[in-house]
Amino acid sequence: MTNDNIASEQQLLVRFLAGQREAYRQAVSGLDEEQARSVPSASALSLSVLIKHCIDGERTMINRIAGAEEAADPVAKWQAGWQLTDADTVPALLAEWDEVGRRTEQVLLAEPDLDRVVDIPANVRQWLPNDTAYTVRWLVLHSIEELSRHAGHADVIRESIDGAVGHGVKQQPGAAWG
C-alpha cells in the first residue's frame, strides 16, 4: 500500500462523522413522523429531538473551527436544540444535517493543522474540561463522542418503538451488521 492509498486523518474523521450520521438515518428509516417524535422509553427523548440536537452540536463544532460567529447566548441556543417545531420533520432534519455534513467535510478537509487551537468563548468553556487545549482534533473527536453516545440512545428508542435493532433493521441470526 502506498501513501496515496492511506486516508488522511481529516478523511478518517470525516468518515467517522458520516458513519454516525448514517446511524441516525437508519434509526428513523421506515418510521412515520408520529413514531419519530414519540417517546416510547424511559428517556424523555425522541429520535427527532436527538437528530435536531446532533445537528446543532455538529453545526456549532464546525462553525467554531471555521471561526464563524456564534449565538450570543449559547445556553439558550443549546436549549432550543431540544425543542421540535412543526417544521422539524424527519426529511427536513435529515436534509439540514446533510447540508451541515457537507460543510463539515469541506472545512475539515481544508484544515491544514488538526492541532490548531480553536478559540472557545469563556461562556462555553465553563461547560468543558478546564485542563484541555481545544484543538480542531479535540473538537471533532468530542463531536464523534457525542454523536456516538446519542446513537446509543437512538438505538434504544428505535427498539422501543418497533423492536428494530442494528441500525433500524432486524437482523437475522448470523447476519452481518450493516
Side-chain angles (χ1 to χ4, degrees):
M1 180 182 275
T2 67
N3 282 342
D4 292 341
N5 294 330
I6 297 173
S8 71
E9 187 174 359
Q10 285 92 332
Q11 290 169 321
L12 290 172
L13 293 170
V14 164
R15 286 182 198 167
F16 280 118
L17 287 164
Q20 290 304 309
R21 279 187 233 104
E22 181 60 24
Y24 291 89
R25 189 174 292 282
Q26 290 298 315
V28 294
S29 177
L31 297 180
D32 61 31
E33 287 299 322
E34 183 179 341
Q35 290 171 310
R37 287 173 175 254
S38 69
V39 182
S41 68
S43 172
L45 304 175
S46 71
L47 291 171
S48 293
V49 164
L50 279 175
I51 290 170
K52 184 172 182 174
H53 170 67
C54 290
I55 292 167
D56 180 56
E58 185 173 341
R59 180 182 291 117
T60 298
M61 178 261 314
I62 205 61
N63 283 344
R64 285 207 175 97
I65 290 169
E69 192 121 347
E70 283 293 315
D73 184 354
V75 174
K77 181 178 175 279
W78 180 82
Q79 289 172 332
W82 295 100
Q83 305 299 316
L84 294 174
T85 68
D86 290 343
D88 292 326
T89 64
V90 169
L93 289 169
L94 293 177
E96 182 180 358
W97 210 355
D98 287 343
E99 186 176 312
V100 171
R102 283 188 292 276
R103 176 160 162 67
T104 296
E105 181 174 349
Q106 176 187 40
V107 170
L108 287 182
L109 293 179
E111 177 59 50
D113 183 8
L114 292 175
D115 291 322
R116 178 176 61 85
V117 175
V118 177
D119 181 48
I120 305 293
N123 62 353
V124 173
R125 276 196 320 270
Q126 69 182 338
W127 306 108
L128 298 172
N130 290 327
D131 60 346
T132 300
Y134 302 107
T135 63
V136 172
R137 181 182 290 105
W138 189 94
L139 291 173
V140 175
L141 291 173
H142 179 66
S143 185
I144 292 168
E145 174 188 37
E146 285 294 307
L147 292 176
S148 299
R149 177 179 294 122
H150 290 309
H153 295 149
D155 287 344
V156 169
I157 293 168
R158 176 60 191 255
E159 189 172 0
S160 297
I161 291 170
D162 65 0
V165 296
H167 300 288
V169 178
K170 289 191 178 192
Q171 297 291 315
Q172 298 299 319
W177 286 87

